[in-house]
Amino acid sequence: MADRRKLTDAEIEQYLAQAPGWSVADGKLRRAFQFGSFVEAFGFMSSVALAAEKMDHHPEWFNVYNRVVIDLNTHDVGGISPLDFELAARINGLAP
């Protein structure tokens, strides 16, 4: 089972060093992506949705035209967990 414990601020900083493009905003992991078109952005979101469903860990996200902003947080623990960083790594692998 995936690690769903709440990380300390120091642990989050260590994990962030291995999560290119991600930062912490409002107590969540956040990354913004920009694509060439709405179709490309939507295709990326569909790929992320499939990965998230397999992990049973679903992002909060916002999309306008070619821009997608993703927030990750483990609601069960009330903060950021290793599971969020695992999904962030999978999302980075799906990004162009």
Side-chain angles (χ1 to χ4, degrees), residues 3-78:
D3 189 352
R4 290 182 182 253
R5 66 185 170 81
K6 183 176 180 178
L7 294 172
T8 66
D9 290 343
E11 289 173 318
I12 290 169
E13 288 304 315
Q14 290 176 343
Y15 274 89
L16 278 172
Q18 304 301 315
W22 293 86
S23 61
V24 175
D26 301 321
K28 301 171 186 176
L29 279 184
R30 177 170 294 160
R31 182 164 178 196
F33 297 87
Q34 190 158 340
F35 301 90
S37 68
F38 173 73
V39 171
E40 289 176 31
F42 195 86
F44 170 73
M45 291 176 69
S46 296
S47 296
V48 170
L50 293 172
E53 184 65 18
K54 285 181 185 175
M55 292 179 65
D56 191 28
H57 191 55
H58 304 93
E60 297 175 21
W61 52 18
F62 179 77
N63 164 246
V64 174
Y65 183 59
N66 66 340
R67 188 165 181 257
V68 178
V69 178
I70 299 177
D71 285 337
L72 301 176
N73 186 279
T74 304
H75 300 283
D76 302 11
V77 301

